[in-house]
Amino acid sequence: MATRTAALLFRRRAAAAAPKPLQQYVAGLSTAAGHDVLDDGGRSGGGEGNRKQWVELPPFAPLDANAAAQAISRGGGGEGACSNATAIRWVRRCCPHMPASLVQKLFRLRKVKRNLLTADTSSTDGITEQLRLRRVSAKDELVPGDILFLPVNIQESSVAEKTKKFGNKNEIDFIRSLEIYKDRNIIVLNKPPGMPVQGGVGIKNSIDMLSPMFEDGSSEAPRLVHRLDRDCSGVLVLGRNQLSASIMHAIFREKTADAVVNGTQQVLQRKYVALVMGRPRHPKGLLSAPLAKVVLPDGKSERLTVCAGSNTTSVQDALTEFRVIESCPQGYTWLELFPRTGRKHQLRVHCAEVLGTPIVGDYKYGRQAHQNWSPLPMPQAIDEEMLKKRKLPFGLALGGGSVAEEQPQLHLHCKQMILPDISEAMQRLQSSDADHDFSDLEKLSFVAPLPLHMRLSWEILKSVGK
């Protein structure tokens, strides 16, 4: 009898774990109509208990974003992209529209259950399955075929805690005008200078907070996968669902890890354009200078600096390629910068402290260089349209900030980014094939035009020397 019981449970679990396209499940929660289950609080005893309706999540089908990112980055097979996951990670993956705070609250209140199949041998018809639910904790690991259940009223709670909706048409039109590319898994933007990427103290609007504007009628808001400084502009990538965001975020981490180990061409490539004060000694090169965080004398502010020693855990390796585009007689230089690693403020510190050429408009790492700042004269030949200033939504402004201004804006722009085709990669990962080959995965290239203040500085520097 024990053998028959084990075989029954194994067949039920194997059927539940059969591979299915993930997109069938992640669109949202589905309430099993009329699916009443007996909640006995995890007890194995009988009794009527409390009969409730539950929301049934899809059977657990593991997918490791880190392993998938490694396979995509290195162009190999994706057989290692599957692994176990915790209960809270599976709930967040299946219910991307639910706020993280609500998911954590459900686990704290013990409202998340897992199926526990038992076999009733007392029935005259032989073995019958009984479904009993047992509480599951957030860090419990799942195995393929496990099914989690949430209270049916969770849909109402989720709606109550959704991100606020935006009704200003001008703001929505402006945000959507930033889009360079959009498919079912990612959105690529040309981030304007002055727009914060994340919220914080004193920040009312940010890309992260405004991301629901990029969607129309979707319950899931796009997620950040990397960062750009507030005053930096250019290519910024968002994941349109939790899985694509997790894989993209892991690819960015993988890029940094691989760059420290070897110098092979990377699947993720970024090119920045910067205007710096001064002229590098060499027309091109590779900067290898580790960075560490230091606290300023006021005891409150922090900044990064080049650190010669590597004996502390706070020191991070940082690699940057550079190439001179053009040197100007006024003492400025246009550079192309290719970050191999993705450290905070890496390009700004390397330009200021390693090359000795701080970026124009960088008052954090080039403060001393700007103390004697003298704006260049505005040539009469400049197009008047480039000189017009106007206000934009969210407190942004268009115009000004060039080298002809008393206080120029930061002249650092992410001009180009080359990414693997994440949508194609995800389609392969979600197929029933045991091995996923990414060696022929197409690469996508995205280019963001320079912001107005940098285009104006280019024209000024070209005209002044004539």
Side-chain angles (χ1 to χ4, degrees):
M1 180 64 66
T3 303
R4 292 179 60 194
T5 302
L8 172 65
L9 300 181
F10 177 81
R11 287 197 302 271
R12 174 66 181 270
R13 174 161 287 181
K20 298 179 182 180
L22 186 64
Q23 54 264 39
Q24 292 182 9
Y25 299 132
V26 298
L29 299 177
S30 58
T31 305
H35 181 57
D36 290 322
V37 294
L38 179 63
D39 176 28
D40 60 0
R43 300 183 299 273
S44 58
E48 289 298 321
N50 298 318
R51 302 184 66 85
K52 300 180 180 179
Q53 276 196 326
W54 295 84
V55 175
E56 178 179 335
L57 300 187
F60 172 64
L63 179 59
D64 188 339
N66 291 326
Q70 288 183 0
I72 295 170
S73 298
R74 298 169 187 177
E79 61 275 5
C82 293
S83 69
N84 287 349
T86 59
I88 191 170
R89 291 180 64 183
W90 184 244
V91 172
R92 294 185 64 179
R93 181 176 164 193
C94 293
C95 314
H97 59 281
M98 288 175 55
S101 58
L102 178 58
V103 175
Q104 294 167 356
K105 182 178 180 181
L106 287 173
F107 280 99
R108 287 198 308 270
L109 297 179
R110 302 184 177 188
K111 296 295 185 181
V112 183
K113 307 288 183 178
R114 174 164 50 184
N115 60 324
L116 179 64
L117 288 175
T118 60
D120 182 4
T121 58
S122 61
S123 172
T124 56
D125 297 329
I127 299 177
T128 59
E129 296 178 41
Q130 285 188 343
L131 179 62
R132 296 183 182 274
L133 302 185
R134 174 173 292 176
R135 181 182 68 86
V136 60
S137 65
K139 294 184 179 180
D140 283 355
E141 288 199 353
L142 305 181
V143 296
D146 276 349
I147 300 175
L148 299 184
F149 294 83
L150 306 181
V152 69
N153 60 358
I154 190 61
Q155 291 175 314
E156 300 172 4
S157 301
S158 177
V159 171
E161 295 193 32
K162 276 186 179 179
T163 307
K164 65 176 182 178
K165 295 184 178 180
F166 303 91
N168 189 313
K169 186 177 184 302
N170 290 335
E171 292 180 348
I172 295 176
D173 290 344
F174 172 75
I175 285 294
R176 293 184 178 179
S177 71
L178 305 178
E179 293 179 4
I180 299 175
Y181 173 83
K182 189 175 186 177
D183 64 20
R184 61 183 178 275
N185 288 299
I186 67 171
I187 300 176
V188 183
L189 313 177
N190 182 8
K191 187 190 89 68
M195 171 69 81
V197 169
Q198 283 184 299
V201 178
I203 295 178
K204 295 182 179 180
N205 297 296
S206 67
I207 295 293
D208 192 31
M209 296 164 59
L210 301 173
S211 62
M213 287 188 175
F214 294 108
E215 300 292 357
D216 191 8
S218 173
S219 60
E220 187 172 4
R223 297 165 168 82
L224 294 170
V225 299
H226 68 112
R227 310 289 186 265
L228 286 178
D229 293 341
R230 176 174 185 163
D231 295 321
C232 182
S233 57
V235 179
L236 181 71
V237 181
L238 305 176
R240 296 188 69 185
N241 51 70
Q242 185 172 1
L243 181 57
S244 65
S246 298
I247 292 177
M248 281 301 306
H249 187 65
I251 287 176
F252 274 83
R253 289 199 310 267
E254 192 71 20
K255 169 188 182 294
T256 293
D258 284 350
V260 174
V261 176
N262 58 68
T264 58
Q265 188 179 25
Q266 300 164 323
V267 69
L268 171 64
Q269 301 173 50
R270 288 178 288 178
K271 178 173 71 175
Y272 286 73
V273 174
L275 178 65
V276 299
M277 305 169 68
R279 181 178 302 176
R281 295 181 179 180
H282 305 285
K284 61 181 180 179
L286 175 63
L287 308 178
S288 178
L291 304 178
K293 184 182 296 185
V294 296
V295 180
L296 298 182
D298 62 7
K300 300 178 181 179
S301 305
E302 295 178 341
R303 58 170 286 167
L304 296 173
T305 186
V306 171
C307 183
S310 58
N311 56 348
T312 62
T313 56
S314 61
V315 177
Q316 295 181 316
D317 292 318
L319 301 171
T320 303
E321 289 184 63
F322 76 93
R323 185 181 73 85
V324 173
I325 301 174
E326 184 173 343
S327 295
C328 308
Q330 301 86 358
Y332 302 96
T333 304
W334 289 99
L335 296 180
E336 281 183 339
L337 302 169
F338 306 88
R340 288 192 181 182
T341 53
R343 309 304 186 190
K344 180 180 179 180
H345 295 174
Q346 172 180 320
L347 300 182
R348 297 165 62 182
V349 177
H350 277 181
C351 284
E353 298 189 14
V354 183
L355 290 179
T357 57
I359 299 174
V360 172
D362 188 352
Y363 304 103
K364 187 179 185 73
Y365 298 101
R367 181 177 58 85
Q368 292 183 347
H370 285 83
Q371 286 180 350
N372 299 319
W373 173 262
S374 179
L376 295 179
M378 182 69 70
Q380 295 182 353
I382 297 295
D383 187 353
E384 291 185 1
E385 286 296 322
M386 298 185 69
L387 302 179
K388 292 182 178 180
K389 299 180 181 180
R390 56 189 178 93
K391 294 183 179 180
L392 299 175
F394 309 112
L396 302 177
L398 184 65
S402 71
V403 291
E405 301 284 340
E406 290 287 347
Q407 190 170 2
Q409 296 181 31
L410 182 68
H411 282 56
L412 180 62
H413 176 76
C414 184
K415 173 74 173 177
Q416 182 182 26
M417 187 177 295
I418 299 176
L419 301 172
D421 188 341
I422 296 301
S423 291
E424 173 62 25
M426 288 182 59
Q427 186 172 345
R428 297 184 189 184
L429 285 170
Q430 294 164 8
S431 69
S432 58
D433 295 338
D435 186 18
H436 311 285
D437 184 13
F438 299 107
S439 59
D440 61 342
L441 194 63
E442 183 182 357
K443 293 182 179 180
L444 306 178
S445 176
F446 307 107
V447 177
L450 289 175
L452 180 59
H453 71 281
M454 292 183 68
R455 298 203 310 268
L456 186 54
S457 292
W458 178 273
E459 295 297 329
I460 292 172
L461 291 171
K462 281 174 55 180
S463 303
V464 169
K466 293 182 179 179

